Every structure is written in structure tokens, then in C-alpha cells.
Amino acid sequence: LTLEATNNDTWGASGTQQQEIAEATNDREQLQAVMAIIFKRLDDSGKKWRHVYKAMSLLEYLIKHGSERCVDYARDQLYKIRTLHDFQYIDETGKDEGINVREKSKKLVKLLNDTDAIRDERKKAREQRDRYKGFSSDDMGSGGGRFGGGGSFGGYDDDSAPARREDARHGGFRDEPSPPARGAGAGGASGASRGASAGG
């Protein structure tokens, strides 16, 4: 499905295709397979510029709608996305098709460097999904929902989910900031530094 969504056809991936791929990213093996295809597509050039453009478009969708791990994978490949700022391709009619890739690359790099913007986009995507589906993530959690596992799309937005705890252990992206990053943790650190400077 990922290959189809990032092919060289003139039309883009359908919303249904993108949604199915986003749901698949909640499974570790499928996530790795999806990301491998996307990053391989980013290596294409010339007449295959649509592969590159569509791969970045899908990656942008997954950053907003997929599992939190999609953000980590994308950030790991930030250097590769940034190199596409210089993508060049002029078609046989003299049209600069490379500009599509260059502009998408710049937009994606800007998003990946802004954690607050990513959280905001993911929150909007969840709210839109809940409205569209006609139920909230709480309803899904209690009833199992279409995707099972409780929580939205298998629990990656649920604080108690194992995947969430694993992301925290590995320092990966989280939809919610880690509690130690603010409040008592921050105060404790500044208090300790004040104490050290006073003692010195």
C-alpha cells in the first residue's frame, strides 16, 4: 500500500490509503516497513520526482496522523529531507518540477524542528478523526472500538500504553510533554544551581 501511495502516477494517494497506512504504523513491524519504503523513495531523482514528493507528503501525513514513533523516524532522517532543498528536475517542456520537492522539503523540515507545532497538528488530527468517526477516544477505549486495544488507534495516545512508556524510556517524541520537563523538576534544577552558586 505504501508503494502504491508513493508511485509515479500523476494523482496523489487517497485519504483512505493514507489513513490505512497511518493505522498500520501502530504495529512495530509494519511501521518499519512503511518507513523503509518512504526513505528509499526519498533517494529517487529526476523523472521519479513524484516518488520523492509523494513520500514526503505521506511522511507529513504520518507525522500528524500516525503513531508517535513516526515523528522519531522522520527526525532521524532529517538530514536526508534537508538535502532535498536542492532537488532539481526540469521536464521536457522546460517546467521546473523540482520546485515541488524543494518547497515540500522546506515545509517538512520546519515542522520537524517545531515540537509544539507537531503536537498541535496531532491534536487537531485526533479531534478531526473523533468528529468524523462519531466517537471519542474514550468511547474506543471502553468498547475496544474498531481498532482494538483501547485508546485511539491501539493506545499510542494513552499515557498507560506500553508503547508510550517505551517512547519515554528511549527519549522519543510524545504527544504530551514529559512531566519532569516542567513544574517541580524545573524548579528543583534551578534551586540546585542557585544552591551551588551560593555555596561557591
Side-chain angles (χ1 to χ4, degrees):
L1 194 57
T2 308
L3 284 169
E4 187 181 341
T6 58
N7 63 24
N8 217 33
D9 293 337
T10 53
W11 56 87
S14 71
T16 304
Q17 282 178 322
Q18 290 181 318
Q19 187 181 348
E20 284 182 27
I21 294 168
E23 289 168 15
T25 63
N26 293 296
D27 176 86
R28 183 173 296 277
E29 287 185 12
Q30 290 189 61
L31 168 66
Q32 290 172 346
V34 166
M35 290 300 171
I37 292 169
I38 287 175
F39 295 129
K40 189 174 187 325
R41 292 293 206 197
L42 293 184
D43 288 330
D44 285 338
S45 59
K47 289 183 178 181
K48 293 183 177 177
W49 67 269
R50 284 191 185 90
H51 282 177
V52 183
Y53 181 81
K54 287 182 177 182
M56 282 193 291
S57 296
L58 179 58
L59 186 57
E60 182 181 12
Y61 183 90
L62 295 178
I63 289 166
K64 298 174 182 178
H65 298 262
S67 76
E68 290 170 329
R69 297 288 290 157
C70 292
V71 179
D72 296 328
Y73 271 87
R75 283 180 164 167
D76 285 345
Q77 298 292 325
L78 199 55
Y79 72 94
K80 182 179 279 193
I81 299 166
R82 192 175 280 116
T83 63
L84 296 171
H85 286 8
D86 301 321
F87 189 93
Q88 299 292 326
Y89 177 64
I90 310 291
D91 72 10
E92 57 276 2
T93 67
K95 184 179 179 185
D96 180 11
E97 297 288 9
I99 192 169
N100 300 306
V101 172
R102 293 193 298 272
E103 292 304 313
K104 178 63 80 174
S105 167
K106 290 171 187 173
K107 181 180 176 187
L108 203 47
V109 167
K110 183 178 179 184
L111 176 64
L112 285 168
N113 282 322
D114 190 340
T115 298
D116 289 337
I118 293 172
R119 285 190 178 121
D120 187 50
E121 289 291 344
R122 289 177 63 80
K123 182 180 177 185
K124 282 192 282 191
R126 279 195 307 275
E127 289 169 353
Q128 181 182 11
R129 227 170 22 232
D130 290 344
R131 272 200 309 274
Y132 179 74
K133 298 283 186 187
F135 49 68
S136 70
S137 54
D138 291 337
D139 295 333
M140 286 180 64
S142 58
R146 180 177 152 202
F147 308 107
S152 57
F153 299 138
Y156 72 86
D157 289 320
D158 177 358
D159 282 323
S160 64
R164 224 13 214 272
R165 291 197 299 273
E166 183 176 323
D167 285 339
R169 274 202 307 274
H170 294 291
F173 174 81
R174 291 177 54 128
D175 282 334
E176 300 296 332
S178 301
R182 33 167 96 177
S190 60
S193 62
R194 277 198 305 272
S197 58

